[in-house]
Amino acid sequence: MFNTTKRTKLAAGALAAAMLFSLPVAQAFGSAGKPAGAKYQAYQLEATPTKHVSYYKAGAALPETIDWVTAKEDLTFLPTAVTGDVTSALKDADGVYWIGTTNGLQRVNFKEKDARDIVQYMAGPRYLYGGDDVVTGLASDGKGGVWVRTASGVTHIELRVKTIYEKTHVYEMLNDAVQDRRGMVTGTEYTFTPNPGETGIDFDKGTFTSNPKTDDNDGLWTAMYAIGEIFRYQTLKTEGAKQSEIDAAKADAIRATKAVLLLDYVSGRGNGFPARSYMLTSENAAQTSTGDDYGYQSQNGFWFHHRVSVTDAVYAASNPIIPTMQRSDGAQPIGYSIVRVTKDAMSKKGDTLFPSGGTNVMNYNGLGLSQEAIDELNAVRPAGQKLGSDIKTRVDTVDGVDVYQVMPVITAQTNNNKAGEDTSTSASNPPLFQLTVPVYEQIPTFFNDLFPASAIGPDNYIDMNQIVYKADTSSDEVAGHSALFFTAYKYLCDDTSDPQLAELKNYVTEAAHRMADLILKNDNYYIEDATGKSTQWSRWLAKYFNDGRGAMESQPQWASKVGVDANGDDALSYGFEDGPLNALQLMAFLKTASYVTAEAYPLDSARYQTAYDQAFEPEYSKAEPYANGKGYIHLAQEYIERRLIRQATNAYNVLDNEIVTRDNYRHTGDEQEDSNINATLHNDWTQYINYSDEELGWFPVYQLILLEQNPARRAEIVAAYDQWYENEVREENPFYTFLYQLAHPEDKTVDIASAVRYMYRMPEYLISVPAQYNRQDVFFIENGDRDKKDKQVNYALPTDERRVMKNNGNPFRTDNGAYSVDPNYNYTYKTMESGTIVTLPYWLGRYFGIIEEAR
């Protein structure tokens, strides 16, 4: 049972009943989006077993009499000499062996179609109660599953034969019940309450409740979900599914798309600024220590609270507006937003961007205000309260000299002092400086249906005074928004006779238009924020990627992939390794913006196309003056090279400015440093992968290969993605595999089977309960650069035998020491991840004819 406020509450047994549906007999199994001339054939899916686990604490009444097996006579295919840790074993009616050991449970079925599935490992609290891996008894359930007993409790592991299509319905219902927060979707904490009379925990037999919270990348995660729902809608419609299913898919797609689009309007800045997230003031995370804007907000980040009224409009009109927030059309503010007192607002100085950039505030990518913004604000500030002189915060010390910035919040405690977290502020002890930003427009009423009635004002507009929104938006968000703009415009807003879709199409167009203008404004190639600078991560300018590249290439160390200046010091700019990803992002955004705005804003569409065309010029700039966007396709093709250079330069730094060789190789005792040294010695760039970047790299490639019609340009884009796929192929993730197939429609050898197996083995309840990695079928290899002390396995384990995660984590990383035996393990309060990791590739794969569901 699921408890949800999104739509109708589902009664007990609804989940089981929902699984009784079947595809309509007359349904066509087409491939509506299969590229013209594609050589691949749709992979035929089938129903396969999915593990379903129920948990019974020691002493709990079991639902039936169980005949426990505590011997191992059934284990006949192994010699006794190697079964010393086996505690019990049985061979069920299907000829499947279940083997209990002192280190978990194994299932052995020699009839499996895929040899990789013959031996399956089940240990840790996901499969054995409380993480007690010492099995004391087994019993077949007569249906292909098994009962497993340990000293801490009993689990029932059922094997339910289902299609992936059926599993997606579970993910959809869980999304509605657990993860949905006014249309936004991400992993969420839940509470599970068993039905009355249940003595164990069976997630099919009870109620999920949750209170979804803001997430740092709400727009990105929701965009992923929305893209999957849009392809669900298109697939069901083109295949002739039941109208009720089509309508449900359409409703989910619209809701999620609107939730993302809302983030482009929620700031009220009117300039296309995409917020990271937002909260209502009624939410717990939005509360401050004193109940007003002067108190401390424990939800960290760069948050603004709207204050919109007649008197606030007067205040905002007379208060200086920093240049980057001024409107060129002369529009006057209707109010203002005030920054919340948080740790980040007081202390997030950021890293230095360019080695030669000095201590100027513009060389720090944190939240310090630009000098231009400071000067504008000081124009009306009285003597003794000037920013940057009387009121400032120490953020760094360089060569013995203190560096000061004007942070968005400066208190008496942090004034002329080290940046830090001051939780003592209040109306009687307010900050000495608290940044404000003008509000120019209300949130369109188009988004009203995402809000409760209590958030709608008497004028039928959303009460903006109830909105707290998060700024400092990253390129992650922009990548998600851009991909959704394209997908919604092309595949969702396909019927403009539908008033809702027609209006949605207009907002998609306007949001893309505004954001493109914001990025290209003054040739900035970044998202500007209320600080007068770019946000910390939304940056696509050439200098950020290539500062000093030409000079580094003239140094002898460059031959060893080490980037230094003439003094032998690290000279790589902070964004050096971001270049290939961000170049693709910029290209995709411009191409999408040109496509989406072609009808409504033809002149601007042509301007975006011209900016996109620059990416295919012969080379990118490596020194002043940098040309933003020029030659970016070549930058995009340096993904592996730049990883190796950053890695080798890190190792060079660790070895006191020595290039790594077999002669000077040495351990430092630091896992991260040693990973750089070892990987450099072996030229192994896969140890320096940022798996979050891998996920982000999907979005621009997806847009570009579907939008770019020029064969030569498309081949260049595909060549860039091929570098990413050199590592992704071993992850066996359909998210990447299906995109690779679309990039190579002529290739009939793509390993679709492994990608399908990824979905076959995926659990239905994506709950953060650990599985165990102490097993005999893998080699444990050194930790990656970003994995700290967690070692890696040498191949991707099946998805039901490893940690539950989004696509932005390392699938090879283990969770060493993630659990200990706990007889009181709490299965009723955990975090549940969204099923987007399956639904997006599944529906995309079906739409483009890469997979075909079981008939």
Side-chain angles (χ1 to χ4, degrees):
M1 178 179 175
F2 304 91
N3 183 10
T4 172
T5 58
K6 175 178 169 183
R7 292 186 196 62
T8 308
K9 294 184 180 180
L10 300 178
L15 177 59
M19 294 297 94
L20 298 178
F21 69 89
S22 62
L23 293 169
V25 174
Q27 180 169 328
F29 285 82
S31 1
K34 188 172 183 178
K39 299 294 195 304
Y40 64 81
Q41 297 297 317
Y43 185 95
Q44 182 65 57
L45 302 179
E46 59 185 21
T48 56
T50 294
K51 298 184 179 74
H52 179 89
V53 187
S54 303
Y55 307 91
Y56 300 84
K57 185 177 180 179
L62 298 176
E64 59 185 82
T65 302
I66 298 174
D67 186 13
W68 293 108
V69 174
T70 57
K72 52 184 177 181
E73 282 77 7
D74 281 355
L75 189 56
T76 56
F77 67 91
L78 289 175
T80 305
V82 298
T83 60
D85 65 341
V86 176
T87 60
S88 56
L90 65 82
K91 183 179 180 181
D92 68 17
D94 297 321
V96 176
Y97 292 90
W98 296 91
I99 307 169
T101 75
T102 56
N103 191 44
L105 174 71
Q106 295 177 30
R107 176 184 183 270
V108 181
N109 179 16
F110 294 107
K111 299 176 184 177
E112 290 287 349
K113 292 182 180 180
D114 191 319
R116 295 171 295 181
D117 295 329
I118 290 175
V119 181
Q120 300 184 23
Y121 290 78
M122 286 155 275
R126 185 183 302 173
Y127 292 110
L128 302 179
Y129 197 96
D132 186 347
D133 293 329
V134 180
V135 176
T136 61
L138 297 171
S140 172
D141 68 1
K143 301 176 183 178
V146 69
W147 292 88
V148 192
R149 185 181 67 193
T150 69
S152 299
V154 171
T155 54
H156 182 198
I157 303 173
E158 299 175 75
L159 293 180
R160 299 178 174 179
V161 178
K162 292 185 176 182
T163 63
I164 302 175
Y165 179 56
E166 290 173 322
K167 288 165 70 169
T168 66
H169 278 248
V170 179
Y171 299 137
E172 294 294 346
M173 286 186 282
L174 289 169
N175 172 75
D176 290 358
V178 178
Q179 282 120 6
D180 184 281
R181 183 174 76 96
R182 294 188 296 278
M184 293 181 288
V185 174
T186 189
T188 305
E189 294 176 347
Y190 69 85
T191 298
F192 178 76
T193 305
N195 288 337
E198 292 291 330
T199 59
I201 305 296
D202 180 344
F203 294 123
D204 279 356
K205 300 175 182 178
T207 303
F208 283 98
T209 55
S210 68
N211 183 24
K213 300 179 178 62
T214 176
D215 188 279
D216 198 42
N217 283 315
D218 270 331
L220 174 64
W221 311 136
T222 307
M224 293 179 70
Y225 172 72
I227 291 170
E229 297 309 284
I230 291 170
F231 281 116
R232 173 186 164 208
Y233 161 67
Q234 272 295 342
T235 301
L236 294 174
K237 187 169 71 167
T238 57
E239 291 186 354
K242 295 177 182 177
Q243 190 61 45
S244 58
E245 288 195 62
I246 297 171
D247 291 343
K250 178 182 176 182
D252 286 341
I254 291 174
R255 179 177 173 84
T257 299
K258 290 178 69 172
V260 176
L261 282 174
L262 172 64
L263 297 175
D264 298 315
Y265 291 90
V266 76
S267 73
R269 298 180 188 181
N271 65 350
F273 179 81
R276 274 186 181 268
S277 184
Y278 78 94
M279 302 182 287
L280 293 177
T281 50
S282 58
E283 295 180 50
N284 289 336
Q287 305 306 308
T288 69
S289 57
T290 58
D292 55 30
D293 289 323
Y294 304 112
Y296 175 78
Q297 178 182 289
S298 58
Q299 179 69 41
N300 197 22
F302 192 36
W303 293 89
F304 287 84
H305 177 218
H306 287 313
R307 297 172 69 158
V308 177
S309 68
V310 175
T311 55
D312 286 340
V314 172
Y315 168 88
S318 62
N319 204 40
I321 300 172
I322 65 173
T324 57
M325 292 293 106
Q326 293 173 4
R327 290 277 291 258
S328 60
D329 59 4
Q332 293 301 304
I334 61 172
Y336 67 99
S337 301
I338 186 167
V339 72
R340 281 291 179 90
V341 182
T342 64
K343 180 180 179 181
D344 275 354
M346 290 184 275
S347 64
K348 192 174 185 179
K349 74 176 182 67
D351 296 284
T352 53
L353 301 177
F354 313 113
S356 59
T359 58
N360 183 287
V361 64
M362 297 300 284
N363 196 36
Y364 288 85
N365 67 349
L367 298 180
L369 273 65
S370 70
Q371 189 59 52
E372 190 179 24
I374 294 168
D375 293 342
E376 189 76 20
L377 294 171
N378 277 338
V380 297
R381 295 183 71 87
Q385 296 181 30
K386 298 294 185 182
L387 301 175
S389 54
D390 305 313
I391 299 176
K392 59 186 186 296
T393 308
R394 178 162 54 88
V395 297
D396 207 354
T397 301
V398 179
D399 297 329
V401 178
D402 290 338
V403 177
Y404 288 88
Q405 291 185 15
V406 175
M407 302 304 292
V409 174
I410 301 177
T411 70
Q413 181 176 306
T414 61
N415 186 34
N416 283 284
N417 206 341
K418 183 178 179 181
E421 187 175 14
D422 182 0
T423 62
S424 68
T425 57
S426 65
S428 59
N429 179 35
L432 302 179
F433 172 66
Q434 199 166 359
L435 179 66
T436 61
V437 62
V439 175
Y440 288 105
E441 61 183 24
Q442 291 180 295
I443 299 169
T445 57
F446 179 68
F447 300 102
N448 281 17
D449 62 330
L450 296 175
F451 290 84
S454 58
I456 309 300
D459 58 357
N460 198 40
Y461 279 95
I462 296 160
D463 179 5
M464 295 185 71
N465 294 307
Q466 295 188 41
I467 299 289
V468 183
Y469 73 89
K470 190 174 188 179
D472 194 29
T473 305
S474 74
S475 59
D476 304 23
E477 295 294 303
V478 177
H481 285 236
S482 177
L484 182 57
F485 292 159
F486 162 66
T487 311
Y489 190 89
K490 181 175 177 63
Y491 298 107
L492 178 58
C493 301
D494 59 341
D495 180 9
T496 52
S497 65
D498 180 327
Q500 187 179 27
L501 290 181
E503 191 172 9
L504 180 65
K505 184 176 182 179
N506 290 336
Y507 277 106
V508 169
T509 302
E510 183 179 66
H513 181 238
R514 285 181 167 193
M515 197 183 297
D517 282 353
L518 179 63
I519 291 172
L520 297 180
K521 177 183 175 183
N522 299 327
D523 196 40
N524 286 336
Y525 279 67
Y526 60 66
I527 296 287
E528 63 185 12
D529 210 337
T531 59
K533 303 188 313 183
S534 74
T535 68
Q536 187 174 24
W537 295 109
S538 288
R539 193 178 288 110
W540 301 275
L541 56 152
K543 181 178 174 66
Y544 179 59
F545 310 136
N546 303 318
D547 183 52
R549 172 69 183 263
M552 286 185 285
E553 289 179 349
S554 67
Q555 307 305 319
Q557 292 93 333
W558 189 256
S560 300
K561 300 188 185 303
V562 174
V564 296
D565 58 23
N567 297 321
D569 295 326
D570 188 338
L572 296 177
S573 65
Y574 191 79
F576 177 81
E577 67 188 271
D578 293 338
L581 169 61
N582 288 29
L584 287 170
Q585 288 179 345
L586 189 277
M587 290 169 60
F589 186 84
L590 291 173
K591 190 66 173 173
T592 286
S594 178
Y595 171 75
V596 167
T597 61
E599 182 179 350
Y601 304 98
L603 295 179
D604 287 325
S605 172
R607 180 163 56 93
Y608 306 149
Q609 179 65 37
T610 298
Y612 170 76
D613 290 341
Q614 289 187 89
F616 295 91
E617 293 190 13
E619 60 182 9
Y620 59 82
S621 51
K622 298 181 180 180
E624 299 283 0
Y626 293 97
N628 292 329
K630 177 186 175 185
Y632 272 21
I633 186 59
H634 310 294
L635 178 58
Q637 292 170 351
E638 294 180 352
Y639 172 65
I640 294 176
E641 178 184 356
R642 290 197 175 219
R643 293 278 163 187
L644 286 170
I645 291 170
R646 180 69 268 179
Q647 179 175 265
T649 306
N650 286 348
Y652 171 87
N653 297 336
V654 170
L655 295 176
D656 300 322
N657 289 14
E658 290 184 37
I659 294 169
V660 176
T661 66
R662 293 186 182 277
D663 294 331
N664 70 359
Y665 169 83
R666 62 180 181 269
H667 283 290
T668 68
D670 183 290
E671 286 85 353
Q672 190 168 6
E673 292 180 351
D674 287 342
S675 178
N676 280 276
I677 293 170
N678 293 344
T680 297
L681 187 65
H682 296 95
N683 210 39
D684 181 8
W685 65 276
T686 65
Q687 294 298 86
Y688 195 71
I689 287 176
N690 180 337
Y691 284 90
S692 179
D693 281 0
E694 271 201 346
E695 179 182 56
L696 292 173
W698 185 94
F699 295 93
V701 173
Y702 154 75
Q703 295 166 78
L704 288 168
I705 66 171
L706 292 176
L707 279 170
E708 182 54 73
Q709 301 301 309
N710 181 298
R713 289 185 171 187
R714 190 180 187 280
E716 294 252 56
I717 294 161
V718 170
Y721 182 56
D722 285 351
Q723 292 191 27
W724 294 77
Y725 197 67
E726 281 191 33
N727 181 69
E728 291 168 354
V729 65
R730 68 192 184 107
E731 299 175 42
E732 301 177 347
N733 187 335
F735 185 63
Y736 304 119
T737 305
F738 294 173
L739 179 63
Y740 184 79
Q741 182 70 88
L742 285 178
H744 293 275
E746 77 291 345
D747 190 344
K748 296 188 289 185
T749 66
V750 179
D751 187 8
I752 302 300
S754 290
V756 166
R757 177 174 175 261
Y758 176 104
M759 295 188 286
Y760 282 159
R761 296 288 297 269
M762 185 68 71
E764 287 180 316
Y765 293 96
L766 300 177
I767 292 171
S768 59
V769 179
Q772 195 214 86
Y773 287 85
N774 185 13
R775 47 198 290 168
Q776 298 174 339
D777 63 331
V778 297
F779 291 112
F780 293 97
I781 61 177
E782 184 180 48
N783 54 295
D785 171 77
R786 297 171 181 271
D787 297 324
K788 309 305 180 187
K789 297 183 179 181
D790 290 330
K791 300 296 186 287
Q792 300 181 90
V793 292
N794 64 327
Y795 71 92
L797 298 179
T799 48
D800 57 1
E801 295 181 12
R802 68 185 193 215
R803 62 196 180 102
V804 171
M805 52 181 254
K806 293 182 173 75
N807 292 327
N808 65 336
N810 182 353
F812 306 101
R813 196 194 84 193
T814 64
D815 289 324
N816 293 339
Y819 69 92
S820 57
V821 178
D822 180 5
N824 297 309
Y825 195 89
N826 185 3
Y827 289 95
T828 63
Y829 181 76
K830 292 292 177 189
T831 298
M832 183 186 295
E833 194 50 73
S834 166
T836 301
I837 53 177
V838 172
T839 58
L840 192 165
Y842 172 77
W843 289 111
L844 179 142
R846 278 187 63 178
Y847 179 78
F848 287 106
I850 298 170
I851 55 176
E852 184 177 286
E853 188 50 271
R855 296 175 184 265

